[in-house]
Each structure stands twice: as structure tokens, then as C-alpha cells.
Amino acid sequence: LSDRVFSSVSDTKTPQGILCLIRQFSYTLPQLLSENPLILILENLQDPGNLGTILRTGEGAGVTGILLSEGCVDIYNPKVIRSTMGSIYRMPFCYTENLPDSLDWLKKQGVTLCAAHLGGDRAYDLQDYTGSCAFLIGNESKGLSDRTAALADVLVNIPMYGQVESLNASVAAAVLMYEASRQRRRKA
């Protein structure tokens, strides 16, 4: 393509010179399960950079799938895709119209729901993540809704020092995912 045409089809100011067209992926909730699933469940995440970072980090930490509430940012948002650095093509994900029903279904499949929560009474590194489990991560400014937090089997917290109230959603997710990865490697 000529530079003029390429600039008109690209959504960035300084494109890298490569564009492609791909089919959008479509997964179902049962497809997120594996022999020993480690699932990330995101409620109403709004920041494209956070979602993309979570997908990328999830792939690196061995997450088997990501479930998103319908209030989450579009996974095909160009900023999400760029920040995944290709993980969007390898990480199974699906949206749910009814998060509580999906959480109930996961529990019936033997998945332990661990909510990252400021009111959690268990330090994140004291919880066992070696079995089938899922992490619930809430909205960047509001956290998890009370309804979603109430469906969790355990509320875990990440201890804070100083005057920091909470971590960025993608950072909190990374801490939890890599703790689960560490525990699973140690058990193997």
C-alpha cells in the first residue's frame, strides 16, 4: 500500500508497517476449562491497556482462560490487541451476559473462586491455588461488586504498605497469577 493508504487504514499515528486481517475468535465457557484450570474472571474492566496486559500476563503465568463480564471493554479494541503483544491469538476468552450464573456453573465444575478484595481476610500467598481455581478481579475504580464478591469461596488480599489503598487491576491480577504459577510449579 502507499503510505497515504496505509495511514488511512491504520489506527496508530506511527504504524509499524504491518497490518493483517484475522477472524475474531469465539470461545464458550466450557472451553475455558482444562484438566486443572486457572481462570481469570474480570468484572467491568474498562481500561484497554489493563485488559491487554492481563491477557499477556495470563499467558505467561499459565492461565487457561479468561471470562469477562459483558461490562468489560471490547477485547477487540485496538489498544487491547496491541497491549496483548499477540497473546489474544493464544489465550481462550469469552464474555458472559450473566456473571452470577457463570460463577455458579464454574463452582459446580469444582472451580474454587478466589476474589481479590480489599476486605479479604486471607493473605493471597496463604491460599492454595494448586487445584482448579479462578481469580475474580474487579473494575479499576470500584473493585468487585458486592454481589460478585459474595459468590466467591474466599476473599484474598494483597497486603499494602504506606498510604496505598489498592493496586492497579492488571498488577493485582499479575501478583495472583504468578503466585498460582509458583505454587503449581512447586507441586509438579
Side-chain angles (χ1 to χ4, degrees), residues 134-147:
F135 293 119
L136 296 160
I137 304 293
N139 175 275
E140 293 90 348
S141 62
K142 299 174 186 170
L144 288 170
S145 68
D146 291 340
R147 181 177 183 192

Side-chain angles (χ1 to χ4, degrees), residues 26 29 32 56 74 119-120 126 152 158 169 177:
S26 176
L29 184 54
L32 301 186
R56 181 179 178 186
D74 180 8
L126 297 179
I158 301 170
M177 289 185 283

Side-chain angles (χ1 to χ4, degrees), residues 52-139:
T53 300
I54 287 171
L55 261 80
R56 181 179 178 186
T57 306
E59 181 184 12
V63 168
T64 59
I66 297 180
L67 176 65
L68 303 101
S69 71
E70 67 179 346
C72 284
V73 63
D74 180 8
I75 204 160
Y76 288 108
N77 176 304
K79 290 181 181 179
V80 174
I81 292 173
R82 278 194 303 276
S83 60
T84 70
M85 297 298 289
S87 292
I88 192 169
Y89 308 118
R90 298 178 296 271
M91 179 62 62
F93 63 87
C94 70
Y95 282 87
T96 179
E97 293 179 8
N98 190 320
L99 187 57
D101 284 353
S102 295
L103 297 180
D104 285 339
W105 185 85
L106 285 168
K107 288 172 97 166
K108 288 175 184 170
Q109 306 311 306
V111 176
T112 301
L113 303 181
C114 303
H117 199 279
L118 294 175
D121 57 357
R122 185 166 186 86
Y124 78 99
D125 58 343
L126 297 179
Q127 178 64 33
D128 180 8
Y129 306 119
T130 57
S132 299
C133 69
F135 293 119
L136 296 160
I137 304 293
N139 175 275

